[in-house]
Amino acid sequence: MTSSSVFSALAPYGWDEAWADAFAPYEPEGLLPGRVVRVDRGQCDLVTAHGMVRADTAFVTPNDPMRVLCTGDWAVVEPAGHPRYVRTYLPRRTAFVRSTSSKRSEGQILAANVDHAIVAVSLAVELDLGRIERFLALAWESGAQPVVVLTKADLVPEAATLAHLVQDVETTAPGVPVLTVSALDGEGLDVLVAIVSGGTTVLLGQSGAGKSTLANALVGEDVMAVHATRDIDGKGRHTTTTRNLLALPGGGVLIDTPGLRGVGLWDAETGVGQVFSEIEQLAERCRFHDCAHESEPGCAVLAAIASGELAERRLDSYRKLIRENQRIVAKTDARLRSEIRKEWKKRGAQGKAAMEAKQGRLR
């Protein structure tokens, strides 16, 4: 098969000249490029120029969970064999990673080589702005462009109420497009289709956020099962149990993921800074470069809260995610753990000195 025929066959799945150059060293061996559509139980499905193939991932299951094969990877696969094996995968451009719930504090890759990250949020329940910020931090850290999609917009018929909800999310997501979509009547889908038509998009959100319905609307057919959402809390069953890569009729590909109940940060300092960019910009005007925005004199962040420019909820959420990220990084970085301990001791000494000074003034 010629390089041009391989290119035309794989282009709908994101193959381009840069991927072809990365694969070039393997071509003389007769190996094939393929994009991972699904991974399960030590095997994976890949789309190749010869069609869909099933391959064993035994060669790419290292002890490091960050290097296992995942949906969205461009893999190097044997042309034939029983079983057929994946030899390796091409260097990732982006990777969406969260921390696992295990005590070993490992990262889990949810999707690779993603250009857009759709954070689906249901309007059927009260908005959880803190969870949106958490998803956005991981999305920015991955290298993808996040998009917040407020699903089930048909459940909010009052235009003023809907506009207020959109404004709340826009304040929470600076620099991020916020769309309202109703998959049932198609409202807002045209804008979303235009965004995802170029490149690879991962679809994220909690169970019950309407992800499967949204995926079906984007693909144009019922490829994902849909279950009713519980009225009591707006939650649904995990209708998607694996990560699947789907070609979109208007161009681009979509990776649908299972509903995520736990979304732990994984070395996402840059992502957190992007989500709270207005706080980090304010912090540049603080009197002290290491200001903790707690009680220091000349703190521009606290001044913004006092003036109403910044919501106190945003600062609380920022502090929470920064602390969480520091903890997860410290577990795998001894030097940073030592620096954090020194900082804690320093702040403790400052607090003690301030207390002693205050007591001295009262005497």
Side-chain angles (χ1 to χ4, degrees):
M1 194 173 234
T2 65
S3 297
S4 60
S5 59
V6 170
F7 198 99
S8 60
L10 295 181
Y13 292 90
W15 190 253
D16 57 26
E17 293 289 352
W19 287 122
D21 290 343
F23 177 75
Y26 303 100
E27 198 167 4
E29 300 180 50
L31 299 170
L32 302 175
R35 190 147 201 204
V36 179
V37 172
R38 183 185 299 104
V39 179
D40 59 276
R41 299 179 181 179
Q43 293 188 311
C44 68
D45 294 329
L46 307 98
V47 59
T48 72
H50 297 286
M52 194 72 67
V53 302
R54 184 81 167 165
D56 196 298
T57 63
F59 287 161
V60 281
T61 53
N63 292 330
D64 183 356
M66 299 286 284
R67 296 175 58 196
V68 299
L69 201 68
C70 75
T71 303
D73 272 324
W74 281 101
V76 179
V77 64
E78 295 175 346
H82 298 285
R84 174 178 286 183
Y85 287 97
V86 172
R87 291 283 189 87
T88 186
Y89 59 84
L90 302 181
R92 293 163 176 155
R93 294 178 182 174
T94 62
F96 193 95
V97 184
R98 69 165 178 175
S99 66
T100 65
S101 58
S102 70
K103 294 182 179 180
R104 292 178 295 179
S105 302
E106 295 174 339
Q108 178 190 18
I109 295 183
L110 299 178
N113 303 314
V114 172
D115 301 294
H116 300 96
I118 294 177
V119 179
V121 181
S122 173
L123 290 175
V125 294
E126 185 178 353
L127 290 177
D128 185 341
L129 299 179
R131 182 170 289 274
I132 294 174
E133 289 163 342
R134 182 178 291 273
F135 270 113
L136 290 175
L138 294 178
W140 279 122
E141 190 67 33
S142 75
Q145 166 65 51
V147 180
V148 176
V149 174
L150 303 178
T151 66
K152 308 180 183 182
D154 51 288
L155 299 180
V156 188
E158 299 83 6
T161 302
L162 185 59
H164 178 72
L165 293 171
V166 170
Q167 184 178 21
D168 282 348
V169 177
E170 286 177 338
T171 302
T172 299
V176 176
V178 179
L179 309 177
T180 57
V181 169
S182 172
L184 293 180
D185 57 24
E187 181 184 352
L189 277 176
D190 54 342
V191 179
L192 184 58
V193 167
I195 291 175
V196 303
S197 61
T200 298
T201 300
V202 63
L203 186 53
L204 307 161
Q206 287 183 283
S207 298
K211 294 192 299 86
S212 295
T213 301
L214 190 59
N216 288 338
L218 291 172
V219 176
E221 56 182 297
D222 292 340
V223 294
M224 308 302 295
V226 178
H227 292 297
T229 303
R230 296 192 305 237
D231 290 335
I232 189 171
D233 57 9
K235 295 181 179 179
R237 292 166 53 191
H238 287 297
T239 54
T240 304
T241 56
T242 60
R243 285 170 279 280
N244 304 280
L245 187 144
L246 309 165
L248 299 175
V253 293
L254 179 71
I255 299 176
D256 191 20
T257 63
L260 301 175
R261 289 195 178 95
V263 190
L265 300 185
W266 177 260
D267 196 4
E269 180 181 357
T270 301
V272 173
Q274 190 78 32
V275 175
F276 298 93
S277 57
E278 81 277 31
I279 294 179
E280 301 223 328
Q281 289 170 5
L282 286 168
E284 294 176 0
R285 304 205 303 264
C286 290
R287 182 182 302 177
F288 304 108
H289 75 277
D290 59 347
C291 182
H293 322 307
E294 292 176 350
S295 59
E296 296 87 345
C299 175
V301 175
L302 295 180
I305 290 178
S307 68
E309 178 185 353
L310 178 68
E312 190 168 359
R313 188 206 67 80
R314 286 282 284 171
L315 180 57
D316 290 341
S317 186
Y318 174 71
R319 287 169 173 161
K320 179 180 179 180
L321 293 185
I322 286 291
R323 287 195 299 267
E324 178 182 330
N325 191 67
Q326 286 181 331
R327 284 196 300 270
I328 195 69
V329 172
K331 289 179 180 178
T332 55
D333 189 329
R335 186 182 67 177
L336 179 59
R337 185 164 60 245
S338 176
E339 291 176 354
I340 290 175
R341 284 175 178 166
K342 289 179 181 178
E343 182 65 19
W344 286 344
K345 290 181 179 178
K346 175 183 174 182
R347 293 193 183 282
Q350 290 174 339
K352 182 179 180 181
M355 180 62 69
E356 290 176 347
K358 181 178 180 181
Q359 291 174 344
R361 290 194 298 268
L362 294 174
R363 288 184 185 134

